[in-house]
């Protein structure tokens, strides 16, 4: 996993003194205009609506049917939850939380603090997802900060799609394409289904966990960034492996991955409440 940047267990992800938030932000700011132009972004991809957690990245999201007066939702990874990594088969639903998030504007500046009322859903089984419900509505956030939520795409992403991973923690973006989809992605004790594999240009790092993966053409969220193979090891922590339908294993050192988010949409009903029994909802249940 592109793990939370807390605790001695994860100190290696700090990459020594070679990476710091200011350095990452500078990398983004000095991207040449020609490089941006070559990537062809019909929708301008920026930091508006993303958030920084204490240890990860995330974003304020809505479904196509979410209403202005619904309590807003924040999307991140299951392994970013303040309660720690959920075990295989563990699913968290409607657990009280007072976690805070720093809301970013288009340029990546923090403009305010949002607070959770609960973890609506969280798991590392089949996917690596956490969704927090906030104490404020979308309308209140937009009225106070002038920032709209990012919309979750309700359809499966497509191979070759130009995407941008937007990290609120590092205030840094990574642009590449969807290289393909992984039948099963195994990392340590966890297995994820139908994961997104990036092309090599998206060299995400620790702290980018939970970043929204945005379709450049639509501006919608198609996945959430979560892991990468760091050392070429097979199916180990920080070194996920790909397993196909026949059980054959492939290791791609230096390649990074995300978990699709279209499957969240059928599970979220009126008032932005999760209902795992809704038609079309296939998220793991407790």
């Amino acid at each position: 996993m592109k793990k939370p940047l807390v605790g001695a267990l994860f100190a290696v992800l700090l990459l020594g003194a070679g990476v710091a938030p200011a350095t990452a932000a500078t990398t983004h700011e000095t991207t040449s205009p020609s490089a941006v132009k070559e990537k062809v972004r019909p929708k301008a991809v920026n930091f508006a609506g993303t958030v920084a957690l204490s240890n990860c990245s995330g974003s304020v999201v809505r479904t196509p049917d979410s209403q202005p007066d619904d309590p807003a939702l924040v999307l991140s990874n299951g392994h970013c939850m303040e309660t720690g990594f959920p075990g295989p088969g563990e699913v968290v639903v409607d657990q009280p939380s007072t976690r805070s998030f720093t809301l970013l504007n288009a340029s990546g500046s923090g403009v305010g603090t949002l607070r959770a009322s609960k973890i609506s859903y969280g798991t590392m089984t089949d996917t690596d997802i956490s969704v927090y419900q906030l104490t404020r509505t979308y309308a209140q956030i937009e009225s106070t900060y002038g920032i709209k939520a990012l919309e979750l795409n309700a359809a499966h992403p497509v191979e070759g799609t130009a995407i941008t991973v937007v990290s609120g923690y590092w205030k840094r973006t990574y642009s590449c394409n969807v290289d393909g989809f992984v039948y099963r992605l195994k990392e340590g004790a966890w297995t994820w289904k139908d994961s997104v594999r990036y092309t090599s240009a998206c060299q995400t790092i620790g702290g980018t966990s939970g970043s929204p993966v945005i379709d450049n053409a639509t501006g919608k969220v198609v996945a959430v960034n979560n892991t990468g193979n760091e050392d070429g090891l097979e199916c180990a922590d920080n070194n996920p492996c790909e397993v196909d339908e026949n059980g054959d294993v492939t290791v791609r050192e230096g390649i990074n991955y995300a978990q699709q988010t279209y499957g969240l949409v059928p599970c979220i009903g009126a008032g932005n409440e999760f209902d795992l029994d809704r038609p079309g909802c296939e998220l793991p249940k407790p």
Side-chain angles (χ1 to χ4, degrees), residues 10 14 16 19 22 41 56 66 96 120-121 126 151 162 170 196 207 212 246 248 273:
F10 309 125
L14 291 172
V19 178
R41 298 182 182 175
C56 285
S66 293
S120 292
Y121 185 86
D126 295 350
E151 184 175 333
W170 289 113
V196 175
N246 299 316
D248 294 328
E273 293 292 337

Side-chain angles (χ1 to χ4, degrees), residues 29-199:
E29 292 165 0
T30 56
T31 301
S32 67
S34 61
V36 173
K37 183 177 181 181
E38 290 170 2
K39 296 193 183 297
V40 185
R41 298 182 182 175
K43 299 279 186 180
V45 177
N46 56 46
F47 295 98
T50 63
V51 300
L53 287 67
S54 59
N55 56 355
C56 285
S57 300
S59 56
V60 180
V61 296
R62 61 181 298 274
T63 74
D65 294 327
S66 293
Q67 299 300 306
D69 290 332
D70 288 341
L73 303 176
V74 162
L75 170 70
S76 191
N77 285 145
H79 76 259
C80 291
M81 290 192 295
E82 68 270 33
T83 51
F85 288 18
E90 182 180 354
V91 177
V92 174
V93 176
D94 291 338
Q95 178 172 300
S97 173
T98 57
R99 192 161 197 187
S100 62
F101 313 89
T102 301
L103 179 67
L104 306 185
N105 63 15
S107 65
S109 297
V111 294
T113 299
L114 306 176
R115 192 167 297 279
S117 61
K118 66 179 179 180
I119 303 172
S120 292
Y121 185 86
T123 192
M124 288 178 65
T125 298
D126 295 350
T127 185
D128 186 4
I129 292 286
S130 64
V131 179
Y132 290 81
Q133 187 176 104
L134 303 183
T135 58
R136 299 197 213 183
T137 66
Y138 296 116
Q140 289 170 332
I141 292 172
E142 185 172 356
S143 174
T144 303
Y145 305 110
I147 294 174
K148 295 182 178 181
L150 301 175
E151 184 175 333
L152 295 171
N153 196 327
H156 192 291
V158 177
E159 184 175 341
T161 298
I163 54 175
T164 301
V165 182
V166 186
S167 172
Y169 184 91
W170 289 113
K171 300 178 177 60
R172 180 175 178 179
T173 63
Y174 303 79
S175 295
C176 59
N177 295 78
V178 174
D179 187 52
F181 303 97
V182 183
Y183 177 69
R184 297 289 185 268
L185 190 67
K186 293 181 65 67
E187 179 174 341
W190 295 275
T191 300
W192 303 306
K193 298 179 178 179
D194 199 22
S195 303
V196 175
R197 180 177 62 242
Y198 305 143
T199 53

Side-chain angles (χ1 to χ4, degrees), residues 265-277:
V265 175
C267 304
I268 301 173
N272 269 352
E273 293 292 337
F274 271 73
D275 180 356
L276 303 181
D277 293 320

Side-chain angles (χ1 to χ4, degrees), residues 187-228:
E187 179 174 341
W190 295 275
T191 300
W192 303 306
K193 298 179 178 179
D194 199 22
S195 303
V196 175
R197 180 177 62 242
Y198 305 143
T199 53
S200 59
C202 279
Q203 290 295 306
T204 51
I205 60 175
T208 63
S209 287
S211 299
V213 180
I214 297 175
D215 181 331
N216 292 349
T218 66
K220 296 180 180 181
V221 177
V222 296
V224 57
N225 180 68
N226 82 307
T227 195

